[in-house]
Structure formats: C-alpha cells, structure tokens
Amino acid sequence: QVQLQESGPGLVKPSQTLSLTCYVSASAGSIATDSYFWAWIRQPPGKGLEWMGNLRYSGRPVYSPSLGSRASISRDTSDNQFTLQLSSVTPEDSATYYCARGREVVFGTVLFESWGQGTQVIISS
C-alpha cells in the first residue's frame, strides 16, 4: 500500500513558486496527532539528499538554514496531507523531491523510514 505520495508540477519556471503536496494515507499515521516528523527531502541530480524541513503534530515547521525564507511547509489536517512551497526557484532547485515520515529513535536523531516514491521537478524557462 502506498503510504506517502507526492504530487505537483514537473516543470517550473525560474522565479516562480514550486508547490508540492504529500498525501498521507491513514495507515501511515495522522499528521495531526501522531508523534512523527513529516518532512520534505530533495536530491539534485548527481548529488546527495538534502533535508529541507519538517513539521510535527504541533504544526510548527522547521527549515534548513540553507533555504533561508524561501521554504514554507504547512498541513491540512482534514485531508491528512502536507505541502511544500518553495519560492523564487532557480535551476539549482531542480531535483527529485520526496516527502517522508520519520521518528526520533534516540535523542537528537530522527530516522526517516517511510518515503514517497519521489517526484522530479525541473526548473527551466
């Protein structure tokens, strides 16, 4: 069963805003009540994974400092989904974007065990 699935455009023009949605199945958990980290992670071609940010049941997101103020993560508890908005995109934002679920296995360490299949996004004019 697919537990997390990304959805959004595959092509975005530079300077525009990328918007992606992660659909979370009931079996994966509740973003409103469960003690998980709901995260967005991306991987540019030929590069490693980059954690972008996540939120928990409080709804308050935290972000990678490298993104500055460009990233925004929010949730829709009614539909059990969360979204990523990345503004002012450049070609360097081209990557495969994943949503993922994580849990704190030890203090200060989060393990992301459940991932969506990923969606490729190209930033190009």
Side-chain angles (χ1 to χ4, degrees):
Q1 180 182 354
V2 177
Q3 295 189 311
L4 289 83
Q5 184 171 2
E6 305 87 350
S7 180
L11 180 65
V12 181
K13 295 182 181 298
S15 81
Q16 293 186 336
T17 296
L18 168 65
S19 182
L20 299 173
T21 298
C22 182
Y23 297 92
V24 180
S25 70
S27 63
S30 171
I31 62 172
T33 61
D34 290 341
S35 297
Y36 292 117
F37 295 82
W38 306 96
W40 285 100
I41 301 164
R42 68 180 180 181
Q43 184 172 34
K47 298 182 179 180
L49 296 168
E50 178 189 12
W51 174 82
M52 302 181 71
N54 53 218
L55 52 74
R56 302 192 77 183
Y57 51 81
S58 69
R60 184 175 68 85
V62 293
Y63 305 104
S64 169
S66 65
L67 297 176
S69 61
R70 295 197 299 130
S72 178
I73 299 175
S74 59
R75 66 179 183 176
D76 183 343
T77 57
S78 298
D79 295 326
N80 207 38
Q81 60 192 47
F82 62 103
T83 63
L84 168 71
Q85 293 190 66
L86 186 65
S87 64
S88 303
V89 298
T90 71
E92 286 67 43
D93 292 312
S94 297
T96 299
Y97 286 75
Y98 302 91
C99 58
R101 184 195 72 190
R103 61 187 179 92
E104 191 171 34
V105 292
V106 297
F107 180 76
T109 300
V110 177
L111 176 64
F112 293 100
E113 293 186 288
S114 184
W115 296 63
Q117 64 180 355
T119 184
Q120 186 176 26
V121 178
I122 303 297
I123 311 300
S124 177
S125 60

